[in-house]
Amino acid sequence: MKRAIALLLIVVLAISIVGCTSKEEEVIKMGFVPMKDGDSLIESVEPLTEMLSKELGVKVEGFTATNYVGVVEGLGSGQVDFGFIPPFAYVLANKESNAEVILTALNKSGEAKYRSQFLVRKDSDITSFSDIKGKKVAFVDPSSTSGYLFPGAHLIKEGINIEKDIEYVYAGGHDKALQLLLNGDVDVATTFVDARDRYKEDFPEAMEKTEVLGYTDYIPNISVTVKGDMEEELKDKIKVALLNIAKTEEGSELLKTLFNMYGFEEATDSDYDIIRTTAKTMNIDLKEAE
């Protein structure tokens, strides 16, 4: 009898220990989309999650999505606690699950904004936007702000009906759009400014063989967005942690290498109203654009 009671106590104690351990091993998921090769970025993002873990006092793990919509869906389902997503994806996440932007990334010039560019081959006959009619255009992705939303809105303002006046494809990446242009598969490619420099190791001939036809309006930079039901205390901790990491030499270098970010500044939802306005120009229903 005594032995049975002793065994029961051991089992109860073991269950209690497991229960305490699971509570202590809280994990925060950081969502992102690989810039190039997914497997290599999964490994290289670990130093950043480790730095965040130390700053927050909680284990941070990376959640890799194949596209930005995957991070948006992750924020809505709770599979992702916070993530790095472009402005259009943020507006979708905010509309769908009340996700909240807390920071905007800075570019190399220290600005929280950037533009899209329209690239053409130097040997093409396209010298103005009116020449794009009847041509084939490479957008990046239907959820890409700089690779679709703003370029599409710009073409509309130039009097081009993107459903009737042009043929278009989704390349699946800014580097892939540039590659399609260089290969002669499309006549125009839309990318962020200046993707040719960013991918110069992959496409060393890009600067020589292509030129910029024009630019879009300015776009808010990549956002750091948290899930809608996150506690205020944790939001603030993540915000402070990223701001602190960006100030360190190691953290600054990691952010540049992984995401081409040069720091952060605080952001609010109203900073992204221009995205909503541009979506209207494109006749995009944010609810249907998930």
Side-chain angles (χ1 to χ4, degrees), residues 167-235:
E167 179 184 355
Y168 64 84
V169 297
Y170 294 119
H174 292 267
D175 55 336
K176 292 181 176 64
L178 179 57
Q179 185 174 32
L180 287 176
L181 179 65
L182 291 169
N183 290 347
D185 296 320
V186 298
D187 304 294
V188 183
T190 62
T191 72
F192 59 80
V193 179
D194 192 322
R196 295 174 299 175
D197 185 57
R198 175 70 184 277
Y199 302 116
K200 61 185 176 184
E201 291 185 8
D202 298 318
F203 310 110
E205 77 280 17
M207 283 290 187
E208 179 185 348
K209 293 186 175 181
T210 68
E211 60 187 2
V212 178
L213 178 67
Y215 301 93
T216 65
D217 292 334
Y218 279 101
I219 310 165
N221 270 349
I222 292 285
S223 72
V224 178
T225 297
V226 300
K227 63 181 182 180
D229 60 355
M230 181 176 286
E231 296 178 357
E232 289 297 326
E233 183 180 358
L234 182 54
K235 286 180 193 176

Side-chain angles (χ1 to χ4, degrees), residues 76-136:
S77 66
Q79 191 173 10
V80 174
D81 294 292
F82 74 99
F84 299 92
I85 55 176
F88 184 41
Y90 159 68
V91 170
L92 292 177
N94 175 258
K95 177 76 173 179
E96 172 63 19
S97 63
N98 293 317
E100 182 181 342
V101 61
I102 57 173
L103 295 170
T104 300
L106 301 177
N107 61 22
K108 194 173 184 178
S109 302
E111 298 177 316
K113 61 183 180 180
Y114 69 111
R115 290 192 291 178
S116 308
Q117 62 187 10
F118 293 86
L119 293 174
V120 297
R121 292 186 303 277
K122 288 184 178 179
D123 61 2
S124 77
D125 58 354
I126 302 174
T127 59
S128 67
F129 281 100
S130 60
D131 295 331
I132 294 180
K133 289 186 177 182
K135 305 295 185 181
K136 190 172 185 178

Side-chain angles (χ1 to χ4, degrees), residues 21-22 26 30 48 65 68 70 75 116 118 129 133 142 150 177-178 215-216 240 264 268 278:
T21 302
S22 64
E26 180 186 356
M30 178 187 77
L48 179 58
Y68 292 117
L75 288 165
S116 308
F118 293 86
F129 281 100
K133 289 186 177 182
F150 272 62
L178 179 57
Y215 301 93
T216 65
V240 171
F264 302 99
T268 62
T278 305

Side-chain angles (χ1 to χ4, degrees), residues 11-31:
V11 172
V12 171
L13 180 60
I15 292 173
S16 299
I17 291 173
V18 171
C20 291
T21 302
S22 64
K23 288 181 181 178
E24 290 172 0
E25 293 180 346
E26 180 186 356
V27 175
I28 293 177
K29 289 292 183 74
M30 178 187 77

Side-chain angles (χ1 to χ4, degrees), residues 35-52:
M35 291 294 183
K36 292 184 182 178
D37 181 75
D39 293 333
S40 63
L41 188 54
I42 290 171
E43 294 178 2
S44 62
V45 83
E46 287 181 4
L48 179 58
T49 57
E50 288 174 3
M51 293 180 76
L52 279 165

